[in-house]
């Protein structure tokens, strides 16, 4: 069961469709909280946890087993903010709370276009957001009470989300 593992600090998952603001939120949260920021994509590149390349979507294919092995010790210690678009393949025991960022499709389309994504990749990501693919996978993979969706359309919502997560963190520390 999530949260039953005894750690000095919690592990927080920040997930969502590419372009929803995960990295911005997670990096700022790490800075304000003192927790360790982990970009799964960066770790996968550095530790050779990629299993090929998807030409159509123009991105690497993650070797999920390798990345889990790579992160196991760090995650067991606690005190991490994990940034990755999906989360359902990570062990349930790793996370004390999971935040799924959601962004309005028009805003998301603009953000992905600015990144230079091709039409197929933009279409795939917009569809994922419309059909709540990441949110549904998170709800199926973790206890409902630890999965929370946060709107991530603008700077005001970013600040509000940071405040909410920092409040949760303070409460977690009081209870543990």
């Amino acid at each position: 069961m999530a949260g039953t593992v005894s750690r000095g600090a919690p592990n927080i998952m920040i997930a969502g469709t590419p372009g929803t603001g995960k990295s911005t939120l997670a990096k700022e949260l790490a800075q304000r909280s003192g927790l360790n920021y982990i970009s799964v994509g960066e770790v996968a590149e550095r530790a050779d946890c990629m299993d090929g390349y998807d030409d159509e979507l123009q991105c690497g294919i993650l070797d999920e087993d390798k990345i889990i092995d790579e992160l196991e010790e760090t995650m067991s210690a606690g005190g991490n903010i994990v940034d990755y678009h999906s989360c359902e393949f990570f062990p349930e025991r790793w996370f004390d709370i999971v935040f799924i960022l959601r962004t309005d499709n028009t805003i998301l389309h603009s953000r992905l276009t600015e990144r230079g994504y091709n039409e197929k990749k933009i279409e795939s990501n917009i569809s994922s957001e419309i059909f709540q693919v990441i949110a549904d996978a998170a709800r199926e993979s973790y206890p409902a009470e630890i999965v929370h969706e946060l709107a991530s359309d603008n700077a005001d919502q970013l600040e509000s989300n940071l405040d909410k997560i920092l409040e949760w963190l303070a409460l977690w520390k009081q209870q543990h």
Side-chain angles (χ1 to χ4, degrees):
M1 191 72 180
T4 59
V5 179
S6 179
R7 295 187 277 261
N11 286 326
I12 299 171
M13 178 75 215
I14 308 289
T17 304
T20 55
K22 294 177 304 300
S23 298
T24 303
L25 176 70
K27 287 175 185 173
E28 184 62 27
L29 183 60
Q31 201 166 16
R32 293 188 192 186
S33 68
L35 297 179
N36 179 40
Y37 169 73
I38 297 174
S39 164
V40 172
E42 289 173 13
V43 172
E45 288 288 332
R46 188 177 62 245
D48 194 29
C49 298
M50 301 308 280
D51 191 25
Y53 189 81
D54 184 323
D55 289 320
E56 191 174 19
L57 295 178
Q58 298 181 336
C59 62
I61 300 166
L62 185 68
D63 183 326
E64 295 172 355
D65 292 334
K66 269 189 183 176
I67 198 74
I68 289 169
D69 289 346
E70 182 67 27
L71 291 173
E72 182 67 52
E73 193 174 321
T74 301
M75 294 303 294
S76 294
N80 301 293
I81 299 166
V82 177
D83 165 7
Y84 196 60
H85 61 272
S86 62
C87 58
E88 69 278 355
F89 64 90
F90 293 117
E92 181 183 330
R93 69 183 181 280
W94 278 10
F95 300 109
D96 298 282
I97 196 157
V98 175
F99 292 103
I100 309 298
L101 300 188
R102 303 298 309 271
T103 299
D104 175 87
N105 293 328
T106 306
I107 295 167
L108 186 60
H109 192 281
S110 296
R111 290 177 184 173
L112 298 177
T113 301
E114 285 171 20
R115 288 184 178 187
Y117 283 18
N118 67 37
E119 270 309 308
K120 179 71 179 165
K121 191 169 184 174
I122 291 172
E123 188 180 304
S124 173
N125 283 309
I126 297 285
S127 292
S128 174
E129 187 67 5
I130 290 169
F131 294 111
Q132 303 182 58
V133 172
I134 295 164
D136 287 348
R139 280 192 286 275
E140 290 168 14
S141 303
Y142 301 97
E145 66 272 11
I146 75 163
V147 178
H148 304 273
E149 290 186 39
L150 299 173
S152 183
D153 293 337
N154 55 49
D156 288 343
Q157 288 175 340
L158 171 66
E159 280 304 317
S160 173
N161 292 339
L162 284 163
D163 290 343
K164 287 174 191 169
I165 298 170
L166 289 167
E167 282 175 30
W168 175 87
L169 187 56
L171 188 63
W172 188 94
K173 287 178 178 177
Q174 284 176 359
Q175 295 172 346
H176 296 82

